[in-house]
Amino acid sequence: MGLSSRSAVAIHALTMLARWGDRSLTSAEIAESLASNPVLVRRVLGGLRDADLVWSTEGRGGGWSLARPPREITLYDAYTAVETGPILSRHAHPPSAECEVGRHIQALLEVEFQDAERAMEERLGRTTIAHLLRQVLAAEREFAVRNH
């Protein structure tokens, strides 16, 4: 299947929830920041809830909040909560066994793709939502200085 935009939406939502950690955010508020549809955001938040990364409260004053401290949530946690299948797409159907490339390419690509996927998993596992939030706040301070 390959990587979708769900990971980016999930990480964006988690970072927003970390930023305003003292209050719950609605899916509409998160969707506004994403310039996206609240239905898509709710679907992604549902995956994050199923992975115990966020929780929601119903009714007036309800919304979404982090279920764990931002320093305990990695980008890999967000990725695995909302993505399924391998990161890199494989052949949709077996190549020709009559061709010297076709006979061997799947096995060779599998090794390369698995190595690349492990590297991505390791890298995403090193970055927490707290780290990303610090970067956002630093970039915002620079933005404010440049625009005043």
Side-chain angles (χ1 to χ4, degrees):
M1 176 173 152
L3 193 59
S4 75
S5 65
R6 288 185 302 267
S7 293
V9 170
I11 292 166
H12 186 130
L14 290 168
T15 305
M16 280 198 66
L17 293 172
R19 173 64 180 92
W20 284 278
D22 56 336
R23 69 178 186 94
S24 295
L25 297 178
T26 66
S27 52
E29 289 171 312
I30 296 168
E32 186 177 317
S33 175
L34 282 155
S36 184
N37 183 324
V39 173
L40 166 70
V41 172
R42 278 191 292 276
R43 195 172 302 132
V44 169
L45 287 167
L48 295 174
R49 182 185 51 221
D50 293 346
D52 297 322
L53 298 177
V54 300
W55 56 275
S56 63
T57 53
E58 299 289 327
R60 187 174 168 89
W64 297 88
S65 301
L66 293 180
R68 301 194 315 224
R71 70 182 179 282
E72 294 178 13
I73 302 172
T74 67
L75 302 189
Y76 185 65
D77 294 330
Y79 164 78
T80 58
V82 298
E83 300 290 353
T84 58
I87 298 163
L88 299 170
S89 297
R90 286 11 183 214
H91 277 292
H93 52 84
S96 172
E98 303 303 313
C99 170
E100 62 189 21
V101 173
R103 272 192 294 276
H104 304 288
I105 197 67
Q106 278 186 290
L108 296 170
L109 279 180
E110 190 60 30
V111 171
E112 294 299 320
F113 285 6
Q114 284 180 3
D115 285 351
E117 288 166 346
R118 274 192 296 278
M120 190 201 89
E121 291 167 8
E122 189 275 327
R123 178 64 184 91
L124 292 178
R126 286 194 322 239
T127 304
T128 66
I129 295 299
H131 178 80
L132 210 57
L133 177 58
R134 283 191 302 275
Q135 291 178 304
V136 165
L137 294 175
E140 184 61 17
R141 283 189 298 276
E142 289 177 26
F143 176 82
V145 167
R146 283 193 313 270
N147 292 294
H148 277 90

